[in-house]
Amino acid sequence: MIERHLDLNEHEGKMRGTTRKNVNISFGSDEDQASPVELLVMSISGCSYGVLRIILENRKITYDSIHVDVDYLMEDAKPNKVTEVAIHFKIKNPSTDIDTLGRVLQQTIKSCTVIQSVKEAIQVNERITIIE
């Protein structure tokens, strides 16, 4: 087992987390802050995006840019659990075809720590589109 630690505290009336790398992240319910739910969804999609980029690099697949659209569904009833996250990768001018990118996406899902951690509770759907 790998053990990790985070600190959470209040700082200037806002929630703040400090990572093991001493990075501070402020979050909460104010208009200018990401909510804990948004951080959860960003963690899922951000992990997937990072893994996707590593796999593309390892396979020497080049591209001009990647844009990621993320939508998520929450239950109407309290506690409004996140039930589904849809991640849409838009890859501009990749040096490969959509079939190869589909296989890369499958490997990405299997290799993403966050998706593997939440997959029993949250349905994660991913797709890739090539844009010109």
Side-chain angles (χ1 to χ4, degrees):
M1 282 292 190
I2 300 171
E3 183 176 331
R4 299 281 195 243
H5 177 79
L6 299 171
D7 287 319
L8 296 175
N9 57 53
E10 185 177 334
H11 180 72
E12 297 178 3
K14 299 180 180 186
M15 288 185 283
R16 182 171 77 176
T18 304
T19 70
R20 64 186 174 91
K21 296 178 182 177
N22 208 30
V23 175
N24 292 306
I25 299 171
S26 178
F27 59 97
S29 59
D30 291 346
E31 284 295 317
D32 64 341
Q33 294 179 307
S35 72
V37 170
E38 290 168 329
L39 289 174
L40 172 66
V41 174
M42 283 190 265
S43 294
I44 293 168
S45 54
C47 177
S48 185
Y49 174 61
V51 171
L52 176 74
R53 289 181 52 219
I54 289 168
I55 294 170
L56 291 172
E57 181 179 312
N58 288 344
R59 291 190 179 193
K60 309 265 189 277
I61 298 171
T62 61
Y63 53 89
D64 290 343
S65 64
I66 301 176
H67 176 81
V68 186
D69 284 326
V70 183
D71 294 303
Y72 59 101
L73 296 175
M74 298 172 64
E75 291 181 345
D76 289 332
K78 296 288 183 187
N80 307 109
K81 292 187 331 182
V82 174
T83 58
E84 185 176 339
V85 175
I87 305 168
H88 183 189
F89 296 102
K90 298 176 182 177
I91 302 180
K92 186 173 184 179
N93 297 323
S95 64
T96 192
D97 60 25
I98 195 69
D99 292 333
T100 300
L101 290 175
R103 289 190 294 279
V104 167
L105 189 58
Q106 290 307 309
Q107 185 180 356
T108 297
I109 293 166
K110 290 177 187 174
S111 301
C112 174
T113 302
V114 179
I115 289 176
Q116 293 305 310
S117 298
V118 302
K119 71 180 182 180
E120 300 301 321
I122 300 172
Q123 180 181 343
V124 180
N125 301 311
E126 297 189 327
R127 66 187 175 118
I128 287 183
T129 302
I130 294 175
I131 57 175
E132 308 266 336

